[in-house]
Amino acid sequence: MDIIVCIKQVPDTASLHTLKINPKTNTLMRDTAPAIINPFDENAIEEGIRLKEKYAGEVTVLSMGPPQVEKALRDALAMGADNAILLSDRSFAGADTLATSYTLAEAIKKIGKFDLILFGKQAIDGDTAQVGPGVAECLGLPQITYVRKIEIENGKLRAERTLEDSFELVEAELPAVITVTKEINTPRYPSLKGIMKSKKAQITIWSLKEMSIDSDRVGLEGSSTQVIRIFTPEMRSKGEILQGTSEDVVDTLINKLRERKVL
Amino acid sequence: MENIKVILEKCTGCKLCVKACLFNAIEMVDKKAVIKDNCNLCGACVEACKSQAIQISKKSAESRLSGRGSEEKDLSAYKGVWVFAEQREGKVIPVTYELLGEGRKLASLLQEELSAILLGDKLDGVPSELIACGADKVYFASDPLLSHYRNEFYTKVIVDMISQYKPEIFLIGATTTGRSLAPRIAARIKTGLTADCTGLDIDTEKKILLQTRPAFGGNIMATIISPNHRPQMATVRPRVMKRCAKQDSRNGEVINVKPQLSGEGALTEILKVIKVEEKVVDLQEADIIVSGGRGLGRAENFSIIRELAEVLGGAVGASRATVDAGWIPSYHQVGQTGKTVGPKLYIACGISGAVQHLVGMQNSETIVAINKDPNAPIFNVATYGIVGDLFEIVPLLTKKLKINGVRS
């Protein structure tokens, strides 16, 4: 069973604990956010490795981005992925989800041999959740999103898909595209051996030329959407801190909530 | 980088762009900004620069205007605002009414019609309900294969409708269904799609949709346009837009669309649907939410959150840290990657208030924060803050409400 896991390197925005605004310019002051593998993609990598361990085959991690993304791919290799491919070309920069989906799908066609494509449910920087379904569409494959459990039986895939208030048990023929939630597994830590191996591993890099694809459909040029403005969100204003002993503050709180007719 | 450039004469070397860049992609060389190869063209620096010294441009934009892009569609053929009327088990879900409210506003600004797109089976009475809630037209595709959302069938039927009737704008609720369906439609018809919008408006001069959404965990907001493609598609976050008042006397037209489907086109099969048994999980509908965070220390301590929620008749929420730690299932999670909620009362216990959590709950009417750290950012958004030990305060609050009754 050959599996392709699409991953994204993201700034660890969740580590930004406080929002600091430059009062003069009203722009975001950034604590240096470290670059990490998108957390949901770690679950996708883990699931790929587990399926490989069960059914044999190879796990290929695929990403698009600048050369620095090699670090994320090496981390995935250290966890136990077998191959890594990075789509890197200046013309890929500024891609929206449509252009990204096209580029990844073309790379997957070039890889050629696969039974399953895994994604994290969304990336924590863009939070769009659009690239998994976008790739599935470009390849004409079935998609199952927000999956918390995967089983393979007689060449068919069964997945538990998480909805707002229920779960669906969905069946699909392989190959298929799956996006996973955090509940599907707990990603492993890389072994020492894995880390040593990943350091020496060869990472395949494909540029626009090597992929021989339509340059009008990648990067900023291939994007249908354009960002025209970036700004800092307005936060609501600060209220009051209730003072006194625990007894006092709890009584005050109940009274205030009743006055506001919240209770 | 070809698409971004620094105009050296205008650059003052102030470094505002360096600070604004989330990717560390700008460095200063000889007191001038230099864009590195890892630039993502996100535009944060363009906005930050006080001297208009950074420009992002598309080289194809000009060539398109000069007529090169022969594949470009005639955009003026696309008219009207569409909203997807999502139904589950025959019942229209709340975000649909919010989309109708917002769609009404956009349609008025454009002086065009608002239509609802309804797919399902045996939905008598639903089209007239959608008209009463703001739709001028309802495009209704009825087929047993459409009774429950299945991506391949929904995509096909909607894409066929779009190519026939050509809407200018198409809004879909950012639910699990909407966020799976919309990107598939957009990729098939190769149009732009903006995810999880929290603000929509019309640039009345250019007649284009302005789509505003949070990004980077809610740390920044971005306004996005899709100027050269139609329809302009967006998914819209639930519990953000306002419904419009229901008027049973409103008139509208129902257009029955005959779906071209066969069961052989199925790529997936839904074997069964399992309801979550716990009854208090629907956070997005709850009037009161009591949420627990890392301050609880361990899974068992969620019991004090549950007890307070029970006394108040509310739902239990959770921060990302507690879900990540496995203390509570993820459908309780409030925040950017969890659920966006807007209850009358939100009580945050032991939650420090990372930005990604705040964006998910700051629309609550009243927020109470209980935390032992007086500097916790949650206090910046709290209506009432209590600096103290949650293990003392929360049970005491539960006890007093139990003894004296919740209502005065």
Side-chain angles (χ1 to χ4, degrees):
Chain A
M1 177 143 175
D2 292 322
I3 298 161
I4 297 171
V5 186
C6 296
I7 69 170
K8 186 177 185 186
Q9 189 182 57
V10 296
D12 187 6
T13 47
S15 75
L16 302 181
H17 215 260
T18 49
L19 193 64
K20 289 185 196 129
I21 312 292
N22 181 327
K24 279 190 196 138
T25 61
N26 203 28
T27 53
L28 183 74
M29 305 272 287
R30 177 177 48 84
D31 303 322
T32 309
I36 56 168
I37 296 180
N38 175 46
F40 299 109
D41 298 351
E42 286 189 339
N43 296 93
I45 298 167
E46 175 65 32
E47 197 60 22
I49 297 169
R50 286 187 191 191
L51 290 169
K52 171 189 93 167
E53 288 167 349
K54 206 164 162 188
Y55 301 103
E58 288 197 345
V59 174
T60 300
V61 278
L62 172 66
S63 192
M64 180 178 95
Q68 294 86 315
V69 177
E70 263 200 53
K71 165 82 171 64
L73 289 169
R74 284 195 197 279
D75 289 348
L77 291 171
M79 281 173 73
D82 302 284
N83 315 299
I85 301 171
L86 175 61
L87 312 179
S88 198
D89 194 296
R90 286 182 180 204
S91 62
F92 296 160
D96 70 356
T97 57
L98 188 69
T100 304
S101 301
Y102 168 75
T103 314
L104 288 174
E106 289 299 314
I108 291 168
K109 285 183 197 166
K110 188 172 158 79
I111 295 169
K113 191 166 160 280
F114 60 89
D115 302 291
L116 184 63
I117 304 170
L118 296 171
F119 284 83
K121 70 161 182 164
Q122 67 199 74
I124 61 164
D125 55 352
D127 277 322
T128 71
Q130 289 175 182
V131 173
V135 167
E137 175 58 31
C138 293
L139 297 170
L141 294 179
Q143 70 178 48
I144 311 176
T145 49
Y146 305 104
V147 167
R148 65 165 190 178
K149 194 176 174 193
I150 296 176
E151 276 173 5
I152 312 274
E153 242 176 76
N154 307 326
K156 277 194 173 183
L157 178 142
R158 271 187 188 189
E160 269 182 41
R161 176 168 183 265
T162 316
L163 278 71
E164 280 78 358
D165 59 353
S166 55
F167 301 96
E168 281 176 356
L169 188 60
V170 188
E171 196 173 75
E173 300 277 349
L174 294 174
V177 175
I178 302 289
T179 77
V180 304
T181 67
K182 207 170 278 179
E183 282 152 324
I184 195 163
N185 56 41
T186 306
R188 70 192 65 191
Y189 288 104
S191 65
L192 193 61
K193 200 175 141 211
I195 296 170
M196 297 307 288
K197 207 174 133 205
S198 75
K199 281 189 176 153
K200 284 182 247 148
Q202 180 74 34
I203 295 194
T204 307
I205 298 182
W206 287 342
S207 66
L208 181 77
K209 208 175 144 198
E210 276 140 337
M211 291 177 66
S212 54
I213 52 173
D214 191 349
S215 66
D216 284 348
R217 292 188 63 187
V218 301
L220 191 67
E221 302 297 331
S223 298
S224 315
T225 56
Q226 276 175 29
V227 178
I228 53 163
R229 189 174 161 232
I230 300 257
F231 58 101
T232 309
E234 275 177 36
M235 286 288 173
R236 58 194 277 155
S237 54
K238 193 171 179 159
E240 64 178 303
I241 300 286
L242 308 180
Q243 307 284 354
T245 64
S246 296
E247 286 278 337
D248 291 344
V249 291
V250 169
D251 287 337
T252 316
L253 177 66
I254 293 172
N255 288 335
K256 288 192 179 275
L257 292 177
R258 281 185 180 148
E259 276 166 34
R260 284 174 76 100
K261 305 212 183 299
V262 179
L263 292 182
Chain B
M1 299 297 295
E2 279 182 52
N3 300 99
I4 183 163
K5 65 176 178 192
V6 178
I7 302 160
L8 294 176
E9 308 85 73
K10 286 189 180 175
C11 177
T12 60
C14 72
K15 296 186 193 164
L16 284 176
C17 55
V18 176
K19 288 177 188 145
C21 178
L22 281 155
F23 296 92
N24 291 317
I26 307 178
E27 61 186 5
M28 301 303 290
V29 176
D30 296 334
K31 294 188 179 163
K32 299 283 178 191
V34 173
I35 315 284
K36 297 194 284 185
D37 280 351
N38 60 325
C39 167
N40 192 35
L41 300 172
C42 77
C45 55
V46 177
E47 202 64 31
C49 180
K50 292 279 136 181
S51 325
Q52 282 93 45
I54 307 178
Q55 281 181 350
I56 292 184
S57 61
K58 253 181 158 173
K59 64 174 190 288
S60 60
E62 286 154 31
S63 52
R64 271 201 194 119
L65 285 175
S66 63
R68 195 200 64 170
S70 54
E71 51 168 349
E72 291 298 312
K73 306 173 195 163
D74 175 16
L75 300 186
S76 64
Y78 290 77
K79 288 265 180 268
V81 178
W82 279 17
V83 306
F84 176 58
E86 184 180 347
Q87 54 85 16
R88 292 198 184 168
E89 294 172 353
K91 201 170 171 289
V92 171
I93 64 165
V95 70
T96 301
Y97 300 107
E98 297 160 20
L99 294 179
L100 284 169
E102 185 66 14
R104 192 73 257 158
K105 181 190 94 182
L106 301 175
S108 305
L109 286 167
L110 288 163
Q111 297 178 311
E112 288 176 8
E113 280 179 339
L114 173 65
S115 305
I117 305 309
L118 179 65
L119 278 62
D121 185 35
K122 301 191 183 82
L123 296 173
D124 301 339
V126 175
S128 52
E129 170 86 8
L130 297 170
I131 290 168
C133 292
D136 298 315
K137 280 184 182 163
V138 178
Y139 291 95
F140 179 27
S142 184
D143 192 299
L145 290 172
L146 299 173
S147 63
H148 189 96
Y149 161 70
R150 259 207 276 175
N151 190 276
E152 53 273 31
F153 294 144
Y154 273 52
T155 304
K156 174 160 192 332
V157 170
I158 295 174
V159 166
D160 287 349
M161 285 183 183
I162 290 172
S163 28
Q164 186 172 355
Y165 298 104
K166 298 188 169 43
E168 187 168 14
I169 290 172
F170 186 20
L171 308 178
I172 296 175
T175 59
T176 50
T177 299
R179 297 187 77 170
S180 307
L181 174 63
R184 192 100 195 194
I185 296 171
R188 190 164 303 176
I189 58 180
K190 300 190 179 61
T191 193
L193 170 66
T194 305
D196 205 21
C197 294
T198 56
L200 294 170
D201 204 352
I202 300 287
D203 177 335
T204 42
E205 198 179 309
K206 294 184 187 143
K207 290 214 153 199
I208 52 173
L209 181 66
L210 303 172
Q211 309 157 75
T212 298
R213 66 180 304 263
F216 296 101
N219 286 280
I220 58 169
M221 303 294 289
T223 300
I224 293 166
I225 56 170
S226 187
N228 302 317
H229 296 78
R230 295 293 180 273
Q232 303 161 81
M233 284 181 63
T235 60
V236 179
R237 185 175 284 191
R239 297 286 292 211
V240 176
M241 305 302 177
K242 297 266 174 293
R243 299 172 179 222
C244 63
K246 188 177 169 188
Q247 271 180 287
D248 286 320
S249 59
R250 271 187 56 97
N251 287 319
E253 185 190 349
V254 180
I255 296 129
N256 289 299
V257 178
K258 186 90 204 93
Q260 304 292 318
L261 292 176
S262 93
E264 284 155 26
L267 295 173
T268 55
E269 193 72 49
I270 293 161
L271 303 176
K272 66 176 171 188
V273 177
I274 312 143
K275 285 275 170 207
V276 177
E277 283 181 11
E278 215 174 327
K279 68 178 192 298
V280 286
V281 290
D282 202 354
L283 288 175
Q284 283 169 316
E285 298 304 311
D287 281 334
I288 296 179
I289 294 173
V290 186
S291 270
R294 205 196 304 260
L296 287 169
R298 53 199 174 98
E300 296 71 40
N301 292 336
F302 254 101
S303 60
I304 67 169
I305 302 296
R306 287 196 189 94
E307 281 161 23
L308 178 56
E310 194 178 325
V311 171
L312 290 166
V316 172
S319 72
R320 183 176 134 165
T322 62
V323 172
D324 285 359
W327 298 351
I328 189 162
S330 69
Y331 45 80
H332 290 277
Q333 187 181 330
V334 173
Q336 180 75 5
T337 50
K339 288 175 178 162
T340 305
V341 299
K344 290 196 179 114
L345 175 61
Y346 188 93
I347 306 181
C349 311
I351 294 177
S352 60
V355 177
Q356 58 84 15
H357 186 78
L358 301 185
V359 295
M361 46 66 83
Q362 61 174 344
N363 287 330
S364 308
E365 280 175 36
T366 301
I367 297 173
V368 174
I370 302 163
N371 201 300
K372 65 174 191 285
D373 174 10
N375 297 317
I378 191 78
F379 290 121
N380 293 332
V381 300
T383 324
Y384 304 114
I386 295 176
V387 180
D389 181 0
L390 77 92
F391 294 104
E392 191 184 339
I393 306 284
V394 177
L396 190 60
L397 182 58
T398 309
K399 191 176 125 196
K400 283 184 187 270
L401 289 168
K402 243 185 206 165
I403 294 169
N404 302 324
V406 172
R407 278 155 201 92
S408 49

